[in-house]
Amino acid sequence: MADEGVAIDLSYRPAGSFVRAKDLGFAAERRAEIDAYFEAMKRDKPAVWNGRVLLLHRQVVEQGALRGQYLETEYASFAAWRDWGRPAAGVRDCFSAAALLSGDGAFLLTVMGPHTFNAEKIYFSCGTPDPNDIVADKVDLDLSVRRELKEETGLDITEFDAEAGWDMVVDGPLIALIKVLRSTEKAIDLREPGQLKFTANLLVTSPRDRLSGHVRSRRLLPKA
């Protein structure tokens, strides 16, 4: 039987907050530092805004499934925690990413635009979940990855064949849940005008205009 990837069951704790989470203390103890840091960030990157994001504060992997619970915080505290080396705070940045794989085995990677905080860094289309991803009492990472792919590339996830489950990569307090999307097009064709929007028009069609381009990367793992 083929490996169907990790299943996920992730809920949201409405009463929780980054400041009040048990054993956290990070945001409250360093409030003045965080506020000063974010003000400096805004001077350098005026497009940055202090929205709300979701961080995982409880998780377990059992019987092939990741189960956990998110809480909510403001972006300023999240950004400071991330950029100060993610000190112990009882939370993890658990996010979804779209790994778009061409028919000839190349992944599409996005390059963040110079006006973004992560300028010139290269990623799969991804983003930390936010309250828009909450459906009832669940955090819907399928919804999150669909939104991020659309915002960053103009592509709709329904144009591709999505593999079952998720590939989970854990790096300390980071948990990347990767959804592999398969295209029948060759990588070179995906970059041609009119083909799946992988063109210079990306800067025009991307609603947030966050990207400076895209690159191709060969698959590092053997095909199944």
Side-chain angles (χ1 to χ4, degrees), residues 3 101-107 163 167 180 182 217-224:
D3 183 3
L101 183 62
S102 69
D104 55 348
F107 280 115
E163 291 188 358
D167 291 313
V180 177
R182 292 182 177 272
S217 174
R218 285 290 157 190
R219 188 178 178 95
L220 299 180
L221 298 177
K223 293 183 180 179

Side-chain angles (χ1 to χ4, degrees), residues 13-193:
R13 190 182 76 173
S17 73
F18 193 45
V19 175
R20 299 183 185 129
K22 181 179 179 181
D23 297 329
L24 184 60
F26 171 81
E29 292 169 4
R30 305 186 67 175
R31 185 75 267 159
E33 293 175 81
I34 291 170
D35 291 344
Y37 181 75
F38 193 68
E39 286 303 315
M41 184 190 302
K42 287 195 297 183
R43 289 193 294 272
D44 185 46
K45 305 288 185 182
V48 174
W49 67 290
N50 197 17
R52 308 293 291 180
V53 296
L54 304 178
L55 296 175
L56 198 66
H57 78 102
R58 186 177 302 157
Q59 68 283 323
V60 63
V61 178
E62 54 186 12
Q63 298 180 342
L66 170 65
R67 295 182 174 85
Q69 193 171 67
Y70 280 88
L71 52 83
E72 185 178 334
T73 186
E74 79 283 358
Y75 181 78
S77 289
F78 164 66
W81 172 75
R82 176 194 63 193
D83 299 334
W84 295 345
R86 299 183 178 89
V91 291
R92 290 191 176 194
D93 182 9
C94 179
F95 59 92
S96 57
L100 180 52
L101 183 62
S102 69
D104 55 348
F107 280 115
L108 175 79
L109 301 171
T110 55
V111 184
M112 301 306 292
H115 59 289
T116 66
F117 189 74
N118 293 315
E120 304 309 318
K121 290 187 177 180
I122 300 173
Y123 301 105
F124 291 131
S125 294
C126 64
T128 299
D130 64 40
N132 291 318
D133 300 315
I134 299 170
V135 179
D137 64 344
K138 298 291 185 181
V139 177
D140 189 340
L141 290 190
D142 282 293
L143 177 63
S144 182
V145 77
R146 177 189 298 266
R147 185 188 72 246
E148 294 294 337
L149 182 68
K150 187 71 172 180
E151 288 179 353
E152 295 187 352
T153 70
L155 296 163
D156 194 299
I157 201 170
T158 59
E159 298 179 48
F160 309 106
D161 182 18
E163 291 188 358
W166 303 79
D167 291 313
M168 184 170 73
V169 178
V170 179
D171 182 11
L174 294 177
I175 301 177
L177 291 165
I178 301 171
K179 177 65 68 174
V180 177
L181 308 174
R182 292 182 177 272
S183 171
T184 58
E185 300 283 344
K186 293 183 179 180
I188 189 65
D189 295 329
L190 296 177
R191 295 171 61 89
E192 292 300 319

